[in-house]
Amino acid sequence: MQQPAQEVMSTAEEQEKWLADAVALVQHNAFFMHRALDANNLRDALKYSAQMLSELRTSKLSPQKYYELYMRTFDELRMLEVFFKEESKRGRTNADLYELVQHAGNILPRLYLLCTVGSVYIKSKEAPAKDVLKDLVEMSRGVQHPIRGLFLRSYLSQISRDKLPDVGSEFEGEGGNVMDAVEFVLQNFTEMNKLWVRMQHQGPAREKEKREKERSELRELVGKNLHVLSQLEGVDLEMYKEVVLPRVLEQVVNCKDELAQYYLMDCIIQVFPDDFHLQTLETLLAACPQLQSTVDIKTVMSQLMERLSNYAASSPEVLPEFLQVEAFTKLSNAVVKVIEAQPDMPLVGAVSLHVALLTFILRVHIDRLDYVDQVLGGCVKKLEGKGKVKDNKATKQLVALLTAPLEKYNDVVTMLKLANYSKVMAHLDYETNKVMATVIIQSIMKNGTYITTADKVDALFELLRELIKDGEGLPAEEVDEEDFKEEQNLVARLVHMLVNPDPDEMFKILTTARKHFRQGGPRRLEYTLAPLVFSASKLVRSLQGREASEDSPVSLEKIFQFLHKTVEDLSMVPAPELALRLYLQCAEAASDCNMEPVAYEFFTQAFVIYEEEIADSKAQVTAIHLIIGTLQRTQVFGVENRDTLTHKATGYSAKLLKKPDQCRAVFACSHLFWVDDEGGVKDGERVLLCLKRALRIANAAQQMSSATRGSNGPITLFVEILNKYLYYYEKGNPQVTSNVIQGLLELIQTEMQSENTVQDPGVDAFFASTIRYIQYQKLKTDEVGERYAAIQT
Amino acid sequence: MNYLIGAFKPPCTVTVEFNDAETRKQANIKKENGQMAPVPLFQSQESVVGEVRIEPLPGKKVEHMGVKIELLGQIELYFDRGSFYDFTSLVRELDVPGEIVDRKIYPFEFSTVEMPYESYNGVNVRLRYILKVTISRSYATNIVEYKDFWVRNFSPPPEINNSIKMEVGIEDCLHIEFEYSKSKYHLKDVIIGKIYFLLVRIKIKHMELEIRRRESTGSGPNTYNETETLAKYEIMDGAPVRGESIPIRLFLSPYDLTPTYRNINNKFSVKYYLNLVLVDEEDRRYFKQQEITMLRID
C-alpha cells in the first residue's frame, strides 16, 4: 500500500534502472505464476499475478518506460487468460472467477485481473457481453492516476476489441447490440481523455513542457478508441450523426485542453469516412470555434477540407452530395466563426484557412467563381486595416491564395472577374506584389491568354499596379536596374496580349492601357509606350483598307491623334531617340493611309526632336539616316512638302560633324530624289548634285586627313560613292554618265597608288569586288550590259 | 517419575461422542495454538444427543459417587482471569454411585436446547459451549472430561435495510459524499457503493475501505475496547478531480467475520465498521467510520 511519497522523474539513467528493477520483479513473479499455472494452482496463480501486476503501480517511470513495463506484463496476462479459460473448463464458473479476482486488495492488480477474467467471461457467453463490459469500464474509474489509468483502460480497450456486441459479431443479441458497444467505447474514451488531460495539470509548473511531450507520446492510447468506433460495423451514418459524433465532440470541447483538442479533432477527421464528414459537416464545424483559442485549428480545418476535396476528386458521383449539404457554405461560415472566435490567431493562420477553403472550392466547385471571390473577400475582410502584410509566413500564404486560382483556371481573364483578387493582392508587400504580378503576366504569356476588353485591361492593370507605377510602399533603396528592365520588358510584352479584333474595342483597350502607363513615370514610359505605339500602328493597318463608317467611334484620325499624344509623352520623358523612331514609324503609317498632313506633322516632330534633343553626334548620324530612310519610302507628300522635308534632311546631312558622316549622309540623301518605284520621284540632276557634293566632302576629308595626320585616309568613301554612282547608272539616271564613273575610277586608282594613302585590305577588297561587279555586268547582253560597256576598268 | 505420573493418571478414559457425528456439519475453528481444527456445529433449539463411554484402564476399576453430564454455555473474559459465567447449564445424571469395572456406555440427550448466543473467539473474550462429564469420587479428585462444540445461529433477513449515505468533508479542502447500498450485510455479502467527490483541494494519493471489528468487554468504567482491522481494500488509485465518482465493490467472503453481537449476556459486544480512508501525498489520512450490522443469514 505504500508508495513513494514523491513522484520523482529523473534522468534517463535512473529511468533505465527503475525499469530494469521493475522488469526483474515482473519476471520473478511471472516465473512463480507460471509454476502455479502448470500446477493448476489457481490460488497461487492469482497471488503471483497480482504481485507481478503490482509493479505497474509505480509512479517513477516516464510514460515511455511505463509502456515497456506494461508490455511485459501484457504478455504474461495473455498466458493467464489462457489459464482462466481452462479453469472454466475444469468446472469453475466464470462468475466465480470474476468474483475471486476481486478479492485482491490493491486496485490496480485487481482491475487488470478483472479485465483478463472479463475477457474470458464474455467469450464464454455465460454473461451478456454488454454487462461485463459495462462493469469493467465502470470499475476502472477506481484508477484516477493519469498514466496508470490510461494504460489500464488501454488494456481494457485492447482485450474488449474483438468482444464488442457489434452488428454481425457473435456477441450481438444476448450480449447486447451495437448501441452497447458504442456506449462502452465512448465511455472508455471519455474517461481516458479526462485522465490524459489531467496529466497536464499535475506536477510542478516548470516541467510543463516535458509533460506536454510525454502526453503527446500517450495520445495514441486515447485516439485508439476513436479508431475502434470507426471500425464498428454497426456505426452507420445515422448513429454517427446522432450519437457518436455529438458525444465525442462534447468531450473534445469540454476538456478545454489544447493538445487534446487538436489531436482529437485531427483524429476524428482521419478515422471516420469522408461521407460521414460530409453529412455531419455542420456539427463538426460548429465545434471548431468552441475550441481553445490556442488550438491550431487552421491545420485541423485544412485537413478536413483537404480530405473532402480528395473525396470529391476521387469520385465525381459524390459531387451532388456536396451541393446537397451545402458544404461550401458551411465551411465558409465555419472559417468566419473560427477567425472570430480566435482573435489571437496569427494572420498566417487566418490566411491559410482561406487557402484551404479556396483549395476546396477549386477541387469541388470549380465552376463557382463567386465562391472563389467570396473566399478572397473573406480574406480581405480579415486583412482590412492591416495595410501591407509584413509577416513572412502570412505573405507566403497570401501568395498561395493568389496563385491557386491562377494555376487552376490558367486563365487570367477568369481571374479578372474576381473583384476581391486585387484587394488581396494590395496587401502584399511591395516586393512580393511585384513577384505576384510577374507571375500573373507569365501566366498570361504561357497560356496565350488574350485580354480582349478595356474593362479587363483596366482590372488587369489594377492588379499589376506595382509594376506599372510607383507604389507607396516603394523601398527607399534603388531598385536593381536589371530587374527593373526585366519587369518592364514583361509589361511591354503584355501589351501584345491586349487584343481585340473589333477596332472600337481595341482602341478603348489602347486608351485604357495608356491611361495606366502614364502613371508609371518617365522611367517606365520608355518601356511601356513603345509597344503601345506598335499596337496602335497595327490597328491603323487593320483599318487602312476599310471605309471609315460614320457611326464608328474610332477613326484613323483618332488613332493618329492617340499615337501623336503617346509619342509626345515619350519625348517628354525624355527619350528623344526612341520618340524619333516612333514618330517616323507613325509617319510611315500615316503615309500608307494617304494622310499627308498627318505624316507631315510626324516628320515635323521628328525633325524638331532631331534639332532640339539629339545632340550626340553618333546619335545624330543614326537619326538622320533613319529620317532619310523613312522619308525616302514616304510617298504621300506633294512636291512642296516633300521639298521642304528633303531640303531639311539634306541640310542636316551636310551639317553633321564628321566629314565621313557628312559624306555618307549626303550620298544617302541622293535617294530622296530617286525613288525607284513606279511613279516615284526621279530627279537625276539633284541626285548628281548630291553625289558630287559627297565627292567634294570626301575630298575635303582626304585633305583634312593628310593635313592633320600626314597621310591620306582610306579611300572607303570614294568606293562607296562609286557604288552609288554605279547604282544610279544602272537605274538609268541620265545625269550619271560613264565618263563621270570613269573619272571616279581613275581617281580612286590614283589615290590607291599614292604613297600618302594608308593601305587598308578591307577597302582594297571592297574596290576589287566593285571592279569585279562592273566586269560582270559588262558581260551581260541586255541593256545593262550595254551601258557598262562604256566603262573601262 | 513415570510411576508418579501413572499414579495421578485417571484410571479410565472418558470419551463423548455425538450420535450424528458422521453427518453433522463441522466448523473450522482456530484453536489456541493457532491451528485450524474441525468442531461439530450446532444451532439453537437443536437436540444434543450422544453417548459417554467410560473405559477403565486394564486391571483398574473406578469407584465413584455418581456420573453426570452437563451442557454449559460459558463466557470467559480474559482480563478477568479465571472468571466464567455460565449462561446456560443443563445436567443429566448418568449413573448412581457405584463401581465401573468394564467399559460402560451412557447415552445422553439434551433436547431442543436453548443456545441463544453464538460461539465466539475474540481478543478479550470467549464464548463457548461445552459438554462436561464428571465422575465424582469421594477420596480422589473428580474425573472431568470436556467436549467442545460450536454454535452458530441464523437470523432472518432484515426487513428494513437502509442504505448509508452521508456527505462529509473538511471545509474548503475536501467534500465527499459516500453511499453504501445497505447498512446490514450477511457474512458472504458484497458491499456496493460509491464515493462522489464534490470538492478536492488536497492531493489524494489513494483511497481505501477498511473493515474494522470492535470488541467491547466489561461494562461501565471497566469496559475494554479492542479494535482490529480485518480488511484493507484499495478502492482508488491516484487523485480524483471534482465530479468523479468512484465505485465500491467489496466481497466480504474472504474475511473472517462474525455477526454483530450486541451486549451478549451483558458481558461483551462485537461490532463492525466500514472505515473510508483517504491518504494524501504527505501520507495524512482522512477517514470516516460507519457502523454496519453483520448478520448470519441462512
Side-chain angles (χ1 to χ4, degrees):
Chain A
M1 186 112 318
Q2 283 301 307
Q3 281 181 9
Q6 270 179 308
E7 264 189 47
V8 191
M9 290 296 181
S10 63
T11 58
E13 224 168 82
E14 269 176 305
Q15 287 281 314
E16 284 296 342
K17 189 181 166 298
W18 283 327
L19 177 63
D21 289 352
V23 166
L25 281 166
V26 164
Q27 281 172 335
H28 174 82
N29 285 308
F31 171 77
F32 285 106
M33 183 185 89
H34 292 167
R35 277 235 301 231
L37 296 183
D38 291 343
N40 283 338
N41 187 340
L42 177 62
R43 215 187 159 73
D44 279 1
L46 290 181
K47 181 177 137 196
Y48 287 112
S49 55
Q51 281 182 17
M52 171 185 83
L53 288 164
S54 285
E55 289 308 313
L56 286 174
R57 299 176 65 219
T58 179
S59 299
K60 291 179 181 170
L61 295 177
S62 69
Q64 216 180 353
K65 298 288 172 207
Y66 193 87
Y67 176 73
E68 282 183 41
L69 189 63
Y70 165 82
M71 285 316 289
R72 293 273 184 163
T73 47
F74 183 84
D75 293 341
E76 300 297 343
L77 286 173
R78 293 276 65 75
M79 306 201 49
L80 195 64
E81 191 181 335
V82 173
F83 174 75
F84 285 151
K85 224 173 271 171
E86 283 165 3
E87 193 68 15
S88 60
K89 276 184 210 145
R90 280 193 286 269
R92 191 179 285 275
T93 65
N94 280 306
D96 248 8
L97 269 177
Y98 197 70
E99 184 192 321
L100 203 56
V101 292
Q102 291 185 68
H103 295 172
N106 282 326
I107 185 159
L108 196 68
R110 179 164 76 234
L111 291 175
Y112 271 103
L113 288 174
L114 195 65
C115 290
T116 313
V117 177
S119 160
V120 179
Y121 202 5
I122 297 173
K123 204 107 206 221
S124 75
K125 296 187 188 150
E126 283 172 30
K130 60 171 180 181
D131 294 347
V132 179
L133 290 174
K134 196 166 165 29
D135 189 54
L136 290 175
V137 80
E138 194 56 38
M139 292 313 283
S140 299
R141 282 176 183 275
V143 181
Q144 292 287 324
H145 184 277
I147 295 182
R148 294 196 283 270
L150 273 174
F151 277 95
L152 172 72
R153 286 183 179 274
S154 165
Y155 178 70
L156 173 58
S157 163
Q158 185 81 20
I159 58 117
S160 62
R161 264 182 108 164
D162 53 346
K163 300 174 186 72
L164 299 174
D166 186 16
V167 168
S169 146
E170 54 174 315
F171 303 103
E172 199 195 5
E174 289 266 309
N177 56 30
V178 67
M179 205 49 228
D180 296 303
V182 167
E183 199 56 42
F184 165 77
V185 181
L186 275 176
Q187 198 181 340
N188 205 30
F189 162 73
T190 308
E191 292 300 325
M192 279 177 92
N193 190 46
K194 283 203 261 182
L195 291 170
W196 188 46
V197 170
R198 200 183 299 166
M199 224 178 124
Q200 190 61 45
H201 308 294
Q202 291 183 350
R206 70 193 135 82
E207 285 177 3
K208 185 166 177 284
E209 219 163 280
K210 186 178 156 204
R211 270 200 308 276
E212 204 142 288
K213 189 173 153 282
E214 288 175 351
R215 275 189 64 203
S216 190
E217 289 167 3
L218 290 174
R219 61 183 185 186
E220 250 132 75
L221 297 182
V222 185
K224 209 150 207 177
N225 288 298
L226 295 180
H227 187 244
V228 171
L229 280 174
S230 74
Q231 299 289 306
L232 286 175
E233 286 290 324
V235 175
D236 51 11
L237 179 60
E238 190 63 21
M239 183 170 288
Y240 177 74
K241 202 171 181 172
E242 300 300 329
V243 182
V244 177
L245 186 64
R247 290 274 299 276
V248 172
L249 284 180
E250 186 193 355
Q251 177 58 29
V252 172
V253 170
N254 289 343
C255 77
K256 294 197 167 32
D257 179 81
E258 181 187 345
L259 188 64
Q261 290 185 334
Y262 174 70
Y263 172 69
L264 292 175
M265 285 305 278
D266 192 36
C267 234
I268 295 171
I269 291 167
Q270 300 303 338
V271 302
F272 291 106
D274 301 311
D275 55 326
F276 281 21
H277 291 321
L278 195 57
Q279 298 298 333
T280 56
L281 255 187
E282 208 159 355
T283 322
L284 188 59
L285 292 172
C288 292
Q290 297 179 54
L291 302 182
Q292 298 302 98
S293 59
T294 41
V295 173
D296 180 10
I297 191 68
K298 67 156 201 300
T299 313
V300 172
M301 287 186 64
S302 307
Q303 250 151 5
L304 175 64
M305 290 188 246
E306 196 181 327
R307 262 205 83 157
L308 289 178
S309 21
N310 283 340
Y311 178 50
S314 68
S315 46
E317 62 266 26
V318 300
L319 278 177
E321 272 183 60
F322 279 81
L323 298 177
Q324 197 198 331
V325 302
E326 294 177 323
F328 168 72
T329 318
K330 287 174 183 168
L331 284 170
S332 119
N333 286 343
V335 167
V336 172
K337 279 197 190 124
V338 162
I339 290 175
E340 270 172 22
Q342 301 201 344
D344 297 338
M345 187 196 278
L347 198 57
V348 56
V351 178
S352 44
L353 266 177
H354 284 102
V355 173
L357 191 56
L358 188 68
T359 318
F360 172 79
I361 299 167
L362 294 178
R363 291 248 193 105
V364 182
H365 300 294
I366 182 81
D367 50 334
R368 296 302 297 265
L369 217 52
D370 53 331
Y371 285 177
V372 176
D373 201 38
Q374 199 177 323
V375 173
L376 292 172
C379 201
V380 168
K381 216 166 147 197
K382 175 76 193 165
L383 292 168
E384 226 159 56
K386 295 241 161 67
K388 300 277 182 200
V389 175
K390 297 283 187 310
D391 176 20
N392 241 342
K393 283 183 190 157
T395 305
K396 227 176 235 174
Q397 287 300 322
L398 276 179
V399 170
L401 188 71
L402 293 169
T403 320
L406 198 60
E407 281 174 355
K408 191 73 189 179
Y409 292 113
N410 263 335
D411 179 9
V412 174
V413 174
T414 313
M415 313 294 314
L416 293 177
K417 291 181 194 147
L418 304 170
N420 287 309
Y421 196 88
S422 69
K423 291 185 193 161
V424 174
M425 208 163 142
H427 285 284
L428 289 175
D429 64 80
Y430 178 71
E431 280 303 322
T432 321
N433 199 329
K434 275 208 308 199
V435 171
M436 196 59 225
T438 314
V439 169
I440 293 174
I441 297 179
Q442 276 162 350
S443 157
I444 295 175
M445 298 297 176
K446 201 178 85 202
N447 299 304
T449 318
Y450 290 105
I451 318 293
T452 52
T453 69
D455 293 346
K456 286 177 189 165
V457 171
D458 208 25
L460 177 66
F461 283 168
E462 197 52 44
L463 273 189
L464 306 177
R465 60 177 167 274
E466 296 289 4
L467 285 185
I468 290 173
K469 60 181 180 191
D470 291 335
E472 296 135 32
L474 187 67
E477 72 262 33
E478 199 59 29
V479 189
D480 186 87
E481 196 56 40
E482 230 162 273
D483 288 353
F484 179 77
K485 236 184 202 166
E486 214 163 282
E487 284 160 22
Q488 296 307 316
N489 278 332
L490 219 74
V491 176
R493 287 174 66 191
L494 180 63
V495 172
H496 297 291
M497 304 306 286
L498 315 177
V499 174
N500 190 315
D502 174 36
D504 295 354
E505 192 58 40
M506 186 62 204
F507 186 63
K508 270 193 219 155
I509 290 177
L510 290 173
T511 325
T512 313
R514 193 180 60 182
K515 188 184 84 203
H516 282 277
F517 286 151
R518 281 171 85 173
Q519 299 168 345
R523 292 182 60 214
R524 285 190 181 78
L525 286 181
E526 214 177 317
Y527 294 94
T528 50
L529 288 186
L532 210 54
V533 168
F534 281 102
S535 189
S537 311
K538 225 194 242 169
L539 181 60
V540 169
R541 303 266 176 222
S542 72
L543 279 176
Q544 207 173 314
R546 275 188 240 173
E547 288 291 311
S549 59
E550 289 293 314
D551 52 339
S552 170
V554 60
S555 60
L556 284 173
E557 282 80 8
K558 272 201 171 156
I559 304 174
F560 279 115
Q561 281 161 19
F562 172 84
L563 280 169
H564 189 272
K565 187 89 190 69
T566 311
V567 186
E568 196 179 17
D569 283 343
L570 198 54
S571 67
M572 307 293 229
V573 165
E577 287 158 53
L578 186 58
L580 180 102
R581 282 162 200 258
L582 293 177
Y583 272 136
L584 293 175
Q585 196 73 35
C586 296
E588 204 177 341
S591 145
D592 290 348
C593 296
N594 256 329
M595 298 173 79
E596 190 183 347
V598 178
Y600 187 81
E601 169 61 17
F602 280 124
F603 263 108
T604 317
Q605 291 299 332
F607 277 117
V608 169
I609 287 180
Y610 180 83
E611 284 163 17
E612 292 175 358
E613 310 272 352
I614 301 181
D616 178 61
S617 62
K618 261 192 197 153
Q620 280 182 342
V621 174
T622 318
I624 201 72
H625 277 283
L626 281 167
I627 292 173
I628 295 167
T630 315
L631 194 53
Q632 199 264 348
R633 278 198 304 279
T634 313
Q635 308 287 327
V636 75
F637 294 123
V639 182
E640 208 172 303
N641 280 340
R642 187 173 178 86
D643 263 5
T644 320
L645 294 174
T646 45
H647 185 74
K648 266 275 186 218
T650 334
Y652 286 132
S653 301
K655 279 182 199 143
L656 287 171
L657 183 64
K658 290 185 191 160
K659 289 287 173 191
D661 291 340
Q662 267 182 24
C663 170
R664 286 188 178 109
V666 168
F667 68 64
C669 281
S670 67
H671 286 285
L672 293 176
F673 306 105
W674 189 275
V675 178
D676 205 32
D677 300 337
E678 193 129 336
V681 190
K682 289 197 170 59
D683 189 344
E685 211 164 316
R686 291 182 71 173
V687 170
L688 193 64
L689 265 173
C690 282
L691 293 180
K692 279 188 174 156
R693 194 165 174 187
L695 207 52
R696 264 205 310 280
I697 299 168
N699 264 325
Q702 274 304 46
Q703 278 161 19
M704 230 164 72
S705 170
S706 98
T708 50
R709 298 205 189 88
S711 68
N712 287 356
I715 50 162
T716 331
L717 287 173
F718 291 109
V719 183
E720 284 170 17
I721 295 168
L722 172 63
N723 274 285
K724 285 288 167 205
Y725 269 104
L726 285 174
Y727 171 80
Y728 290 112
Y729 185 63
E730 219 176 289
K731 294 288 176 195
N733 185 337
Q735 307 299 322
V736 181
T737 58
S738 57
N739 286 344
V740 181
I741 295 173
Q742 200 68 52
L744 189 52
L745 274 172
E746 278 158 22
L747 172 72
I748 293 170
Q749 273 157 349
T750 321
E751 280 289 325
M752 279 176 78
Q753 280 147 18
S754 151
E755 285 170 12
N756 279 342
T757 307
V758 179
Q759 296 297 318
D760 182 338
V763 176
D764 290 353
F766 186 18
F767 182 63
S769 61
T770 310
I771 296 293
R772 257 202 316 283
Y773 177 74
I774 296 170
Q775 284 166 346
Y776 172 73
Q777 295 294 59
K778 281 161 83 88
L779 292 179
K780 287 190 176 164
T781 52
D782 59 359
E783 200 187 333
V784 178
E786 277 173 37
R787 292 194 69 126
Y788 272 94
I791 300 168
Q792 302 293 315
T793 48
Chain B
M1 295 261 285
N2 261 346
Y3 67 96
L4 266 178
I5 295 167
F8 291 105
K9 241 176 121 180
C12 59
T13 57
V14 180
T15 47
V16 183
E17 290 285 342
F18 295 107
N19 277 3
D20 51 1
E22 297 283 296
T23 55
R24 175 156 294 278
K25 270 193 185 164
Q26 297 196 313
N28 260 319
I29 302 300
K30 206 183 224 174
K31 291 280 183 198
E32 276 137 13
N33 59 13
Q35 294 209 318
M36 304 295 280
V39 183
L41 185 63
F42 287 82
Q43 56 180 322
S44 191
Q45 307 292 341
E46 266 192 299
S47 297
V48 181
V49 183
E51 51 188 31
V52 177
R53 194 175 297 194
I54 299 174
E55 271 179 278
L57 294 173
K60 298 240 170 141
K61 60 176 181 190
V62 183
E63 283 176 24
H64 63 88
M65 303 294 292
V67 179
K68 64 175 179 184
I69 183 162
E70 291 164 286
L71 190 155
L72 301 173
Q74 292 181 331
I75 294 171
E76 184 183 350
L77 297 164
Y78 297 153
F79 59 88
D80 194 3
R81 217 174 152 68
S83 65
F84 294 94
Y85 301 92
D86 292 350
F87 56 87
T88 294
S89 177
L90 301 167
V91 189
R92 296 285 182 275
E93 296 292 339
L94 296 178
D95 208 352
V96 293
E99 230 179 51
I100 302 169
V101 183
D102 275 332
R103 185 173 76 170
K104 206 159 179 189
I105 292 168
Y106 305 97
F108 67 89
E109 177 172 351
F110 301 95
S111 38
T112 51
V113 190
E114 191 71 36
M115 293 178 283
Y117 311 127
E118 288 201 344
S119 306
Y120 172 69
N121 267 340
V123 183
N124 286 324
V125 63
R126 176 162 78 161
L127 188 150
R128 63 174 192 162
Y129 289 92
I130 44 174
L131 287 169
K132 183 179 176 189
V133 178
T134 313
I135 304 170
S136 316
R137 292 196 286 187
S138 53
Y139 52 90
T141 52
N142 293 346
I143 297 169
V144 180
E145 180 63 30
Y146 298 99
K147 172 81 175 175
D148 278 289
F149 64 94
W150 205 257
V151 172
R152 280 175 186 166
N153 287 326
F154 295 97
S155 42
E159 277 172 18
I160 303 166
N161 197 348
N162 294 324
S163 63
I164 301 175
K165 204 169 177 179
M166 190 173 264
E167 194 185 319
V168 291
I170 308 164
E171 206 177 334
D172 292 334
C173 188
L174 179 73
H175 276 275
I176 62 172
E177 191 182 285
F178 61 81
E179 182 178 352
Y180 308 122
S181 59
K182 298 189 277 189
S183 51
K184 296 170 184 164
Y185 296 89
H186 65 82
L187 299 181
K188 305 286 178 208
D189 217 339
V190 192
I191 297 173
I192 305 282
K194 68 173 176 222
I195 291 136
Y196 187 70
F197 286 83
L198 298 164
L199 175 78
V200 191
R201 291 257 174 83
I202 51 171
K203 287 182 176 171
I204 297 172
K205 201 161 67 179
H206 60 102
M207 175 166 70
E208 58 196 30
L209 196 60
E210 293 176 343
I211 301 176
R212 314 186 90 196
R213 169 158 67 196
R214 189 161 74 188
E215 186 185 287
S216 319
T217 44
S219 57
N222 294 327
T223 307
Y224 289 78
N225 283 324
E226 193 70 46
T227 306
E228 287 173 90
T229 300
L230 302 178
K232 271 189 173 189
Y233 194 73
E234 191 185 19
I235 52 173
M236 186 183 76
D237 171 26
V241 293
R242 201 167 67 97
E244 285 295 349
S245 100
I246 307 297
I248 303 172
R249 180 153 70 215
L250 171 55
F251 289 92
L252 295 175
S253 57
Y255 308 105
D256 188 18
L257 306 177
T258 68
T260 297
Y261 302 136
R262 288 188 208 284
N263 207 11
I264 299 299
N265 208 238
N266 276 326
K267 289 287 180 289
F268 74 99
S269 296
V270 175
K271 291 181 179 174
Y272 287 89
Y273 297 88
L274 282 180
N275 191 25
L276 183 69
V277 185
L278 289 114
V279 182
D280 75 4
E281 287 191 342
E282 269 90 52
D283 282 328
R284 281 188 294 253
R285 294 164 73 84
Y286 308 83
F287 58 86
K288 179 70 190 173
Q289 193 160 287
Q290 290 289 309
E291 191 187 344
I292 52 170
T293 306
M294 296 304 303
L295 301 167
R296 192 187 302 282
I297 294 170
D298 199 1

